[in-house]
Amino acid sequence: MATKYILAGTSQHKIWKYGTWGLFILLVILVAFAYVDTGFIEIGGNKYNISMIRLSKAVAFAVAILGLQCVVGFTGQVALGQSFFVGSGAYLTAWLVADHQWPYLLTLVVVIPACFLIGMILGLPALRIKGLYLALVTLGMAAVFPSIVKLDSLSDKTGGSGGKSTAESKLEAPDWAASIFDGIAGALQQIPFFGQYFGEGDLSSREADRMWKFLIFSIVAAICFWLVNNLVKSRPGRAMRAIRDNETGAAVSGVDLAMTKTLAFGVSSALGGVAGTLYVMEVGIASPDDFTQLLAINLIVGLVVGGVGTLSGAVVGGLVVVLIPDWAASTESAAFVPQRWLQGPTGGFLLGLMLIILTFVLPGGIVAGFRKLRARFVQVVPRPPDGSVPAAFAAATAGATTAGEAMLSSESDDELVHSGPSDGGSTDE
Amino acid sequence: MDLFLQRLFDGLANGSAYALIAVALVLIFKATTLINFAQGELAMLGAFISLQLWYWGVPMWGAVVLAMLITAVLAAGVERTLIRPFDPKDHLPLVIITLGLFLLINALAGIIWRFDPRQYPELFPSGNALNIGSRGLSWYAVFTIGLTVLVIFLLTVLLNKSKVGLAFRSVSSNLESSELVGIKVGSTLQFGWALAAAVGTLGACVYVSNPLLSLEPSVMLRVLIFASSAAALGGLDSIWGALVGGLAIGFVQSLLVQYLDFIPTEMSLAAAVVVLLIILLFKPAGLFGTASVERV
């Protein structure tokens, strides 16, 4: 199939951009309604449960990984301690909800500024400590978090080693939302042939609650992604990327290193805090063993596997980090693998393996692979500043069909679109 | 006073076990300016291998030496296949690879040996070498320190007197120049990784042979933080510094945390991280390390 070229800024480009987004949202809605009643799929004799709970968790982790993108992906600081901030957000939420009867979403008003501040303060050492040393210190911080919340002096607020439960205040779908959900479910059930996959009749109240939670999560996450997208394209965002690409060069060009770095750390940990809030909303408890060094490393896995320095990579990363361990845990029999092996921490094994293999094969993560694949079919050609039509685009659309010319033009397009291996243009999705 | 002595002795024993792991970190850092986040897990794997060999009937010390050899070969293989393809100056991919190894080895040990703690046989005679009042200095502490000093002494001799050691020092001081004068940089670094893995395994075996501890896949998570603080305190490129740093961290853990009332007992790990942070902020080269000069 011949590559299709789209000129940036044209209505065709808009249709393409919003069309792909629309398709994505449609897909999410379909998956949500198809699996809201914890539907099972069966592969090779194993039952897999793609429940909403997992999808909601994946959304929470995606926001945490989005925070990592700001610091590691865009600013290039090797900070590994994201679990610290996710934990802080989770505990703040749990404390406010359980002890002060705040509604869940209102806690964000406290969580975001608090985590932003903690992140800025803990990011201060990063002005002096660089590279591997920073990795070491932040990993140490992540390791310390569980022992901080287990402290005796804090245990009346954090619940000690048992964790802080918020199960008493449930998040229930309001009636109007439930009836909308029922309406959508009913409509989906009317589709010929496929209707059977969307259950029967109205949603039960538990299903409506799950759907409601997932909806809230998605909206919060979408706002986070939208804000970060704007940040990255703005002046501070460009400063962040300049620091990543060449710190000295950025400083010489007038980037305020201290300001930009602490800002990046603050934003990153604020997002970590939001992720923590979402996490507590889903699981109903903040417990110290959920926010260990292993979570910090898992979030890094999500970052790298999804794609460092891309926003869509955070979504992919969240899904990978949540679904792969669950998938491994619910696989009970597989060909050529002794059963004993499947009962252990196979998920961690797979994540580690993925991390290493992807670093070799696809350093840009899954998103880069997907983009490479997409570029074979559709390429967006940026319009030069003077408004003329680029030569390559003209040649391609005029039907330059000889093999040599087609190759030439597609190569020059590549250069136009991907101005570097990890360019900021990657955020335009 | 009694309690003070006991804590001093405990600090000594733990500290020298940390020092052994810290030496392993230092060896790799010296050669490659890389901190191997998987070092603790590799050492844990070595300890499990030695235990497995012991189950199969190999005498305990023989099992430890065999496990050291096995992990050395493993680490050499890891260096060759996973580390060498990457540019040593670009940190992110290398951090990611070692973190991947961390997850991989941790999960592998959990899959093979499960998560229940196992009693590790004592490597040293039990009982006390010295009794003062009701408190005593255990043979474990005495032998651990003796062994640590011996290992560090042997490493110093190896690095300073042998041809391999000369190559190793040359590579660690200037990689490009060593390559130009005909040193095989790759195999020298491989040697560094193997040596570090062997020392790390010894450290882990000694650490878990403490009668108070047992072996489980997560035993090294904390130790890695202690050991890296120790290595940073001593100066990341100084082997003797690792010993001093290890002992200092051991004492911080057992004395400072016990006696300063405002630091709760569970915070020994946090204390180590704070020490690490302070050192990196104010004396990045550590106590005995050489300060690096950046040139444009």
Side-chain angles (χ1 to χ4, degrees), chain B residues 8-251:
Chain B
L8 197 71
F9 295 154
D10 287 350
L12 219 58
N14 274 335
S16 36
Y18 298 152
L20 276 177
I21 309 277
V23 167
L25 287 173
V26 165
L27 278 174
I28 287 182
F29 185 85
K30 248 174 115 69
T32 58
T33 65
L34 170 73
I35 294 166
N36 181 7
F37 288 100
Q39 187 71 65
E41 302 310 291
L42 206 58
M44 177 270 295
L45 186 72
F48 264 116
I49 291 173
S50 71
L51 191 68
Q52 192 63 49
L53 290 171
W54 183 69
Y55 285 161
W56 286 337
V58 182
M60 198 56 230
W61 272 104
V64 171
V65 172
L66 265 177
M68 284 167 66
L69 285 176
I70 292 171
T71 45
V73 171
L74 205 65
V78 164
E79 196 281 335
R80 182 68 194 85
T81 50
L82 301 182
I83 304 295
R84 209 179 293 180
F86 291 99
D87 175 10
K89 284 186 203 71
D90 190 5
H91 287 148
L92 192 61
L94 290 170
V95 169
I96 287 164
I97 290 280
T98 55
L99 286 177
L101 274 173
F102 175 102
L103 277 179
L104 204 66
I105 297 174
N106 188 284
L108 194 67
I111 288 169
I112 300 177
W113 289 287
R114 304 283 140 181
F115 287 96
D116 29 77
R118 286 161 191 252
Q119 195 59 46
Y120 196 82
E122 288 183 31
L123 289 173
F124 308 115
S126 52
N128 288 345
L130 183 72
N131 279 306
I132 300 168
S134 59
R135 308 289 165 172
L137 176 66
S138 63
W139 279 113
Y140 171 77
V142 174
F143 275 104
T144 308
I145 295 164
L147 190 68
T148 308
V149 173
L150 179 72
V151 166
I152 292 176
F153 175 73
L154 286 179
L155 282 177
T156 321
V157 171
L158 180 74
L159 293 187
N160 288 336
K161 304 286 177 202
S162 73
K163 207 158 184 188
V164 162
L166 183 66
F168 189 83
R169 280 182 296 143
S170 144
V171 168
S172 64
S173 74
N174 191 330
L175 201 136
E176 279 88 8
S177 309
S178 331
E179 205 159 25
L180 287 177
V181 295
I183 293 170
K184 285 190 179 126
V185 172
S187 44
T188 311
L189 294 185
Q190 204 169 15
F191 170 75
W193 272 75
L195 204 61
V199 174
T201 296
L202 181 66
C205 291
V206 167
Y207 180 69
V208 294
S209 76
N210 186 336
L212 301 174
L213 295 168
S214 47
L215 182 58
E216 53 182 327
S218 62
V219 71
M220 284 295 164
L221 292 181
R222 291 162 62 88
V223 177
L224 181 73
I225 304 291
F226 285 122
S228 41
S229 308
L233 181 60
L236 266 170
D237 57 355
S238 156
I239 295 183
W240 286 99
L243 176 64
V244 176
L247 291 179
I249 292 290
F251 287 138

Side-chain angles (χ1 to χ4, degrees), chain A residues 128-129 132-133 135-137 139-140 143-144 150-151 293 297 301 304 340-341 345 348-349 352-353 355-356 359-360, chain B residues 29 33 37 81 95-96 100 102-104 107-108 111-112 114-115 225 236 264 266-267 269-270 273 277 280-281:
Chain A
R128 273 187 71 112
I129 301 175
L132 283 168
Y133 299 105
L136 199 59
V137 172
L139 198 65
V144 167
K150 278 189 211 164
L151 280 180
Q293 203 169 349
I297 295 177
V301 174
V304 174
R340 198 187 130 72
W341 276 69
F349 186 81
L353 203 63
L355 199 56
I356 292 173
T359 314
F360 273 89
Chain B
F29 185 85
T33 65
F37 288 100
T81 50
V95 169
I96 287 164
F102 175 102
L103 277 179
L104 204 66
L108 194 67
I111 288 169
I112 300 177
R114 304 283 140 181
F115 287 96
I225 304 291
L236 266 170
E266 311 93 85
M267 294 309 276
L269 192 65
V273 174
L277 190 65
L280 289 180
L281 278 179

